[in-house]
Amino acid sequence: MTKPSWFNFETVIQSLRDFIKSYPVQEGKRVYLVLDNAPWHKKAVRLVQTEAHEEYQDIREKLTLLFLPPYSPDLNPIEQCWRVTRREMTHNTYYTNKAELEKSLDEYYAQYREPNGKFSSLCSFKHKN
């Protein structure tokens, strides 16, 4: 997987292709991927699904892209992961430069590359009746 230095619709498109390559989708199956409403996600969805550009057919065949409702961070699991990361890694911590921060976060997340209870529990959603 690549680590973009900036987010835009092109990096989203590349991430979608990297995802499909890393996690092949069985024939006849689809993956439903839920995105937040970041502008770069919206443009990628517009190009891939709404306008259905031919160059993105490979993505359309495997993925259905959906959006979270606007202004709903409580439904976005990554927000819970950021909260824990801030508490455990970055709160009241001074990093002299961006590279030092990235190195620290890369080392932190390396321990969670395999499925684990900590982030699995943060990324699950229990519906209340």
Side-chain angles (χ1 to χ4, degrees):
M1 289 274 214
T2 58
K3 186 194 298 185
S5 59
W6 189 257
F7 293 106
N8 58 31
F9 80 94
E10 292 154 328
T11 60
V12 173
I13 298 290
Q14 186 57 52
S15 294
L16 295 173
R17 287 189 167 129
D18 289 347
F19 177 81
I20 292 168
K21 186 187 292 183
S22 297
Y23 303 97
V25 180
Q26 293 177 1
E27 188 65 34
K29 301 280 184 177
R30 301 193 64 68
V31 170
Y32 289 80
L33 190 61
V34 180
L35 306 169
D36 65 18
N37 287 278
W40 44 87
H41 291 156
K42 287 182 176 185
K43 183 169 184 180
V45 170
R46 180 174 50 83
L47 295 173
V48 171
Q49 286 181 176
T50 310
E51 296 176 3
H53 288 245
E54 183 61 33
E55 65 194 282
Y56 306 121
Q57 179 64 29
D58 60 323
I59 298 169
R60 250 188 331 279
E61 288 175 356
K62 304 291 183 185
L63 302 178
T64 296
L65 305 170
L66 306 167
F67 286 113
L68 286 168
Y71 308 106
S72 58
D74 52 322
L75 298 177
N76 190 347
I78 196 65
E79 297 297 337
Q80 305 310 313
C81 296
W82 296 144
R83 181 179 50 80
V84 169
T85 301
R86 278 191 301 274
R87 185 180 64 230
E88 294 184 1
M89 292 300 300
T90 63
H91 183 73
N92 286 336
T93 303
Y94 175 75
Y95 295 94
T96 57
N97 55 50
K98 182 180 172 189
E100 184 183 334
L101 170 63
E102 286 181 4
K103 181 178 183 290
S104 177
L105 291 173
D106 285 345
E107 289 170 358
Y108 173 72
Y109 285 122
Q111 65 185 321
Y112 300 113
R113 292 210 193 281
E114 297 299 319
N116 61 82
K118 182 175 195 167
F119 282 101
S120 289
S121 68
L122 293 174
C123 294
S124 62
F125 179 77
K126 292 182 175 65
H127 178 70
K128 295 179 183 177
N129 289 332

